């Protein structure tokens, strides 16, 4: 018997790729969840960014707002706040390194993605070892400020590097 | 048939305890586990709770192998941004400022990579509790900096005792 958390798409990266796309968001569910673990960039101290997809294509317009609290085990906490960016750049994996066991892990919740009359919202809970080999994690959320439906999320290194590893899984929450 | 959010087991403390052990709750084939923790009561007001892991031999890991950082949110005052440490003997806070009048509270702990022998084990935790002053909450991240399999969790009360129950789920 199926439960209430339904796996829709999964990408497992074991050799470097330029990007990862999770697709399959439609009207079946109102809320979606993304789980990711052991995500690492190919280049040290890079952030993995996120865009929404429209009909499978990443939206590159300047319509991404996001804000987060930076929890840092080794220094004072910080804040991040951005409006009209071209992606959610630091929200989900921030300055992750290529050193041993340096990686990003987290949970995203996606709200209103399939609603063509509303913006697409995400929340993020992140825990990582960064390029300084210390624990940190951004806690916050973002919004794509366009009233249109989004059908997936696209992961990439804004600075042009690759994603070296990680498991990315998209779920729907049964309604 | 296992589902993508699979209930694994429930663990309940024997009344008020200073350590709450959840042994052998991992190593079930999931790359992420959720622990939904119900705080039932506390012996005194205040205090906080930390977390340690059990290794693959079911031995508690109490060395200085944990990094963590947490924000304490308060309905009654300024937030506390000073909870952080590197190379520490536990991850904290899992929750803070509990109440001895049976008012309860709750925490969600997410554990990543516990079954993985070649990765560190990471957590996020968020809580909501109530003290006489008002509502308290925490948002915490942490990591055990050892590439080894983790099989369980010990929650350690710092200055009082707690009665708790936990429901553990695997996410696949």
């Amino acid at each position: 018997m199926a439960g209430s958390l339904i796996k829709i798409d999964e990408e497992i990266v074991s050799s470097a790729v330029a990007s990862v796309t999770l697709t399959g968001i439609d009207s079946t569910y109102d809320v979606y969840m993304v789980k990711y673990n052991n995500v690492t960039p190919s280049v040290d101290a890079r952030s993995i960014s996120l865009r929404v997809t429209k009909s499978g294509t990443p939206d590159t317009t300047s319509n991404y707002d996001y804000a987060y609290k930076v929890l840092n085990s080794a220094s004072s906490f910080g804040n991040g706040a951005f409006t009209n960016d071209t992606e959610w750049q630091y929200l989900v994996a921030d300055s992750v390194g290529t050193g041993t066991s340096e990686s990003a892990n987290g949970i995203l919740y996606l709200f209103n993605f399939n609603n063509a009359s509303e913006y697409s919202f995400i929340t993020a809970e992140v825990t990582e070892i960064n390029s300084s080999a210390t624990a940190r994690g951004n806690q916050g959320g973002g919004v794509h400020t366009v009233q249109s439906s989004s059908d997936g999320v696209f992961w990439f290194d804004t600075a042009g590097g690759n994603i070296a590893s990680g498991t990315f899984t998209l779920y729907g929450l049964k309604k | 048939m296992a589902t993508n959010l699979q209930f694994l087991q429930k663990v309940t403390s024997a009344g008020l305890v200073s350590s709450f052990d959840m042994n052998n709750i991992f190593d079930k084939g999931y790359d992420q586990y959720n622990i939904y923790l119900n705080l039932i009561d506390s012996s005194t007001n205040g205090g906080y709770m930390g977390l340690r892991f059990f290794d693959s031999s079911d031995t508690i890991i109490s060395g200085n192998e944990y990094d963590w950082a947490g924000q304490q949110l308060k309905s009654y005052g300024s937030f506390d941004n000073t909870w952080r440490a590197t190379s520490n003997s536990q991850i904290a806070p899992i929750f803070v400022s509990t109440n001895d009048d049976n008012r309860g509270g709750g925490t969600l702990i997410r554990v990543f990579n516990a079954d993985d022998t070649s990765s560190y084990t990471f957590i996020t935790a968020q809580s909501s509790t109530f003290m006489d002053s008002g509502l308290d909450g925490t948002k915490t991240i942490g990591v055990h900096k050892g590439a080894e399999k983790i099989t369980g969790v010990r929650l350690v009360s710092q200055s009082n005792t707690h009665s708790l129950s936990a429901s553990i789920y695997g996410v696949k």
Side-chain angles (χ1 to χ4, degrees):
Chain A
M1 183 181 72
S4 297
L5 186 68
I6 309 299
K7 182 185 289 188
I8 295 166
D9 193 12
E10 184 169 68
E11 299 295 327
I12 300 174
V13 177
S14 55
S15 59
V17 296
S19 64
V20 169
T21 303
L22 295 175
T23 62
I25 296 175
D26 58 22
S27 62
T28 305
Y29 307 104
D30 293 332
V31 180
Y32 290 79
M33 186 186 94
V34 173
K35 170 174 68 71
Y36 58 102
N37 64 296
N38 281 332
V39 173
T40 60
S42 295
V43 178
D44 195 41
R46 290 289 179 87
S47 298
I48 305 299
S49 300
L50 201 67
R51 287 177 172 148
V52 300
T53 63
K54 312 285 186 183
S55 300
T57 300
D59 187 312
T60 61
T61 57
S62 302
N63 292 304
Y64 295 86
D65 293 0
Y66 51 114
Y68 53 88
K69 189 75 182 179
V70 183
L71 302 180
N72 194 320
S73 65
S75 64
S76 300
F77 298 173
N79 300 320
F82 301 85
T83 58
N84 301 322
D85 206 342
T86 52
E87 59 270 333
W88 294 311
Q89 184 170 3
Y90 309 104
L91 185 60
V92 300
D94 190 356
S95 192
V96 184
T98 54
T100 302
S101 296
E102 293 174 6
S103 72
N105 312 269
I107 296 290
L108 312 176
Y109 283 97
L110 315 180
F111 300 91
N112 302 339
F113 264 51
N114 185 250
N115 193 321
S117 303
E118 296 189 0
Y119 294 170
S120 299
F121 290 81
I122 68 169
T123 62
E125 304 167 45
V126 183
T127 176
E128 65 178 48
I129 293 281
N130 70 355
S131 56
S132 301
T134 53
R136 59 174 285 160
N138 294 343
Q139 317 298 312
V143 59
H144 184 247
T145 56
V146 177
Q147 289 172 292
S148 70
S149 58
S150 305
D151 56 12
V153 286
F154 174 81
W155 305 67
F156 69 108
D157 177 354
T158 307
N162 289 329
I163 298 171
S165 69
T167 300
F168 305 80
T169 312
L170 173 68
Y171 302 86
L173 275 65
K174 212 168 185 179
K175 57 183 180 180
Chain B
M1 185 181 77
T3 63
N4 295 130
L5 179 66
Q6 182 63 42
F7 173 73
L8 298 176
Q9 65 183 100
K10 185 171 182 177
V11 183
T12 303
S13 69
L16 292 165
V17 298
S18 57
S19 292
F20 179 53
D21 288 353
M22 293 173 273
N23 299 88
N24 300 309
I25 59 172
F26 304 140
D27 198 18
K28 305 289 192 293
Y30 297 91
D31 51 25
Q32 193 227 317
Y33 294 86
N34 290 348
I35 302 172
Y36 296 89
L37 189 69
N38 282 325
L39 171 65
I40 302 169
D41 201 6
S42 302
S43 57
T44 59
N45 290 336
Y48 69 95
M49 183 160 260
L51 176 149
R52 296 185 175 123
F53 289 122
F54 288 95
D55 67 15
S56 59
S57 302
D58 201 24
T59 301
I60 195 69
I61 301 172
S62 57
N64 295 330
E65 303 174 28
Y66 303 92
D67 287 5
W68 48 270
Q71 184 175 43
Q72 181 180 353
L73 306 99
K74 306 176 186 178
S75 69
Y76 54 92
S78 301
F79 294 177
D80 187 340
N81 295 317
T82 63
W83 294 88
R84 58 178 169 85
T86 59
S87 300
N88 199 252
S89 62
Q90 63 178 1
I91 294 170
I94 300 304
F95 58 77
V96 300
S97 301
T98 56
N99 189 276
D100 62 0
D101 294 326
N102 208 28
R103 291 177 182 166
T107 303
L108 167 60
I109 308 168
R110 301 187 194 274
V111 183
F112 298 86
N113 310 329
D115 293 2
D116 191 338
T117 57
S118 58
S119 293
Y120 291 173
T121 301
F122 292 80
I123 74 153
T124 63
Q126 53 189 26
S127 74
S128 183
T129 56
F130 192 87
M131 248 258 290
D132 288 345
S133 304
L135 176 68
D136 264 284
T138 58
K139 294 280 282 187
T140 299
I141 57 109
V143 61
H144 170 246
K145 297 172 79 170
E148 61 179 305
K149 180 184 292 187
I150 297 299
T151 59
V153 168
R154 168 174 289 174
L155 299 178
V156 184
S157 302
Q158 300 304 304
S159 60
N160 46 9
T161 56
H162 299 93
S163 58
L164 304 152
S165 70
S167 297
I168 299 103
Y169 293 76
V171 183
K172 199 166 194 176

